[in-house]
Amino acid sequence: MTFLRIALIGLALVAGMTGEALANKKSEDKKAKYIFLFIGDGMGLNQVAVTESYLSYKEGKINGESLVFSDFPYLGLCSTHSNNRHVTCSAAAATAIACGQKTNNSRLGTDPDGKPMKSIASYLHDEGYNVGIMTTVPINHATPAAFYANVNDRGEYYTISRQLTESGFEFFGGSGFYHYKGEKGNLEPADKMIEQLGYPVCYGLEEFAARSSETDKIIFCQESTRGQDPEYYVSDGAEAKDIRLSEMLELCLDFIGDEEPFFIMCEGGNIDWSCHANKTMSMIYDILEFEEAIKTAVKFYERYPEETLIVVTADHETGGLSIGEGEEWRPEIIDWKLFETTWIQDGYKNVRTEEENKELNRQGFIGWSSYHHTGAPVPVYSIGKGAEKFSGRIDNTDIKGKILGE
């Protein structure tokens, strides 16, 4: 047998034996080592435009200022309908993003037939990625839960809290747990139940600092939610003892480090609640808080530009927001002075009644058509490795595959 023939046989055997391994290596080469997925709950294109209008006003001009993610090099437009509704709920939308498949409204991590689906976070965790999941709202709320839970009703908060412990993810952060003692208030407190299942639960920075060095997985909760059910609220700014979303992301980055690859989902959940209430200034400040977290990711990206991907999107639009209000043509500008003065006079608190708030929006030239979600497409901003895949028209079910480099 000639040397050439032996060599060819050897190459064929190597190709056959390692085909799957080579395919996996090719997939790894396509996806980023460090992945940030930011979800601004309820943040449509107009929410971004209104916030940028306010920033421009602060600089003494009509337009021209931009949020840091608006300057990302790639922009896409994403459809958001669920499997059975033109207007999605957060559970179905987050499931579509996390699992890459449409489902019915209210389902969380399950398909239209109720079968569990695997999220991108679980998929990457199995591949050796550290995973961080964080939000400004309760950790067992719909959007963060879509990345680790499988239930047919998003309202099964206590079950979702238990499923969190089954994920094995390294870091969770948020404002606490809905149904803290179960729906009827007669169960063991969620944090104690979770502790017994192997996850340290820390309230505030002091507890986190004391316990984070002793464990490889941890849950951070805001100090203000200790021992209670977090309430739905419209953001009036953080409690003095609570930390901002950017600080929570910094805690996560410090905890998981950069030696191993990671996937981080970071949600600005309060944006949605402000939009449900049509509170213009609250919405702006919630988006600005969200932006500060994205700036933290951008600083990380600047250290590892060839290995990092940042994607910023929304699960849906909320409120039907518009620049301009009323039935008659009013070629005017937004009265930001009115909005800002009122906000300051009210002590940065949402103290106005629904009717008073309607009148403020009308006078200020900001329109809201709904107190609920709408079916409008949402933006997708991206930068880093593989970011070009997110440009153009896409569906929310495409996001998982594009992150994975498929």
Side-chain angles (χ1 to χ4, degrees), residues 6 73-74 155 261 271 368 405:
I6 293 172
Y74 297 99
I271 300 168
W368 295 88

Side-chain angles (χ1 to χ4, degrees), residues 100-152:
Q101 182 177 332
K102 296 287 187 185
T103 193
N104 296 345
N105 279 12
S106 293
R107 294 194 184 277
L108 196 58
T110 62
D111 69 14
D113 296 323
K115 297 177 182 178
M117 296 189 289
K118 190 171 185 176
S119 77
I120 184 173
S122 296
Y123 179 89
L124 289 171
H125 197 251
D126 287 347
E127 286 198 346
Y129 279 63
N130 289 326
V131 174
I133 305 292
M134 70 203 67
T135 179
T136 53
V137 299
I139 301 167
N140 56 357
H141 203 252
T143 302
F147 291 84
Y148 64 83
N150 306 100
V151 294
N152 288 327

Side-chain angles (χ1 to χ4, degrees), residues 13 39 61 76 193 196 220 239 265 268 284 354 357-358:
L13 288 171
I39 300 178
K61 51 189 178 182
M193 175 265 291
Q196 291 172 4
F220 174 87
E239 295 281 344
M265 193 291 295
I284 289 171
E354 182 178 318
N357 188 61
K358 275 185 179 180

Side-chain angles (χ1 to χ4, degrees), residues 53-65 333 336:
S53 176
Y54 174 70
L55 293 176
S56 299
Y57 156 77
K58 297 289 287 182
E59 295 298 321
K61 51 189 178 182
I62 291 179
N63 207 341
E65 293 299 301
I333 62 172
W336 284 122

Side-chain angles (χ1 to χ4, degrees), residues 6-285:
I6 293 172
L8 290 173
I9 292 172
L11 287 173
L13 288 171
V14 170
M17 291 171 62
T18 64
E20 183 176 350
L22 289 173
N24 291 338
K25 180 65 168 62
K26 188 175 181 181
S27 175
E28 290 173 5
D29 290 341
K30 287 183 178 180
K31 63 176 176 284
K33 179 178 181 180
Y34 307 115
I35 303 166
F36 295 88
L37 173 61
F38 289 91
I39 300 178
D41 200 321
M43 187 186 75
L45 284 164
N46 280 359
Q47 278 78 1
V48 174
V50 167
T51 303
E52 292 179 338
S53 176
Y54 174 70
L55 293 176
S56 299
Y57 156 77
K58 297 289 287 182
E59 295 298 321
K61 51 189 178 182
I62 291 179
N63 207 341
E65 293 299 301
S66 60
L67 294 161
V68 65
F69 53 87
S70 291
D71 291 329
F72 284 1
Y74 297 99
L75 172 64
L77 195 62
C78 183
S79 51
T80 64
H81 64 279
S82 68
N83 181 68
N84 66 335
R85 295 288 187 273
H86 290 111
V87 179
T88 188
C89 74
S90 290
T95 297
I97 293 171
C99 301
Q101 182 177 332
K102 296 287 187 185
T103 193
N104 296 345
N105 279 12
S106 293
R107 294 194 184 277
L108 196 58
T110 62
D111 69 14
D113 296 323
K115 297 177 182 178
M117 296 189 289
K118 190 171 185 176
S119 77
I120 184 173
S122 296
Y123 179 89
L124 289 171
H125 197 251
D126 287 347
E127 286 198 346
Y129 279 63
N130 289 326
V131 174
I133 305 292
M134 70 203 67
T135 179
T136 53
V137 299
I139 301 167
N140 56 357
H141 203 252
T143 302
F147 291 84
Y148 64 83
N150 306 100
V151 294
N152 288 327
D153 182 354
R154 58 177 290 179
E156 297 178 42
Y157 293 114
Y158 199 82
T159 298
I160 292 169
S161 297
R162 180 180 292 275
Q163 289 184 357
L164 176 154
T165 68
E166 299 167 6
S167 70
F169 297 167
E170 283 68 28
F171 181 94
F172 288 92
S175 67
F177 304 93
Y178 278 141
H179 291 181
Y180 177 68
K181 294 183 179 180
E183 186 175 6
K184 298 180 180 179
N186 60 347
L187 300 179
E188 184 175 28
D191 49 10
K192 292 184 179 180
M193 175 265 291
I194 289 169
E195 286 260 7
Q196 291 172 4
L197 293 173
Y199 268 89
V201 180
C202 305
Y203 287 90
L205 292 175
E206 287 188 13
E207 284 189 12
F208 185 85
R211 304 185 69 184
S212 58
S213 62
E214 304 170 354
T215 180
D216 59 358
K217 52 189 177 182
I218 200 164
I219 299 172
F220 174 87
C221 295
Q222 298 285 17
E223 174 66 31
S224 64
T225 63
R226 183 191 295 271
Q228 61 180 318
D229 240 325
E231 298 179 357
Y232 281 101
Y233 64 98
V234 175
S235 173
D236 293 323
E239 295 281 344
K241 54 189 173 183
D242 285 344
I243 68 170
R244 311 298 285 178
L245 187 61
S246 57
E247 296 173 286
M248 196 181 297
L249 178 54
E250 288 170 357
L251 285 183
C252 177
L253 289 171
D254 288 342
F255 183 74
I256 64 178
D258 58 11
E259 292 185 6
E260 302 296 331
F262 64 66
F263 171 83
I264 293 174
M265 193 291 295
C266 184
E267 183 203 19
N270 290 341
I271 300 168
D272 180 58
W273 293 355
S274 292
C275 291
H276 274 295
N278 294 176
K279 300 286 188 177
T280 302
M281 291 304 295
S282 286
M283 177 206 75
I284 289 171
Y285 276 88

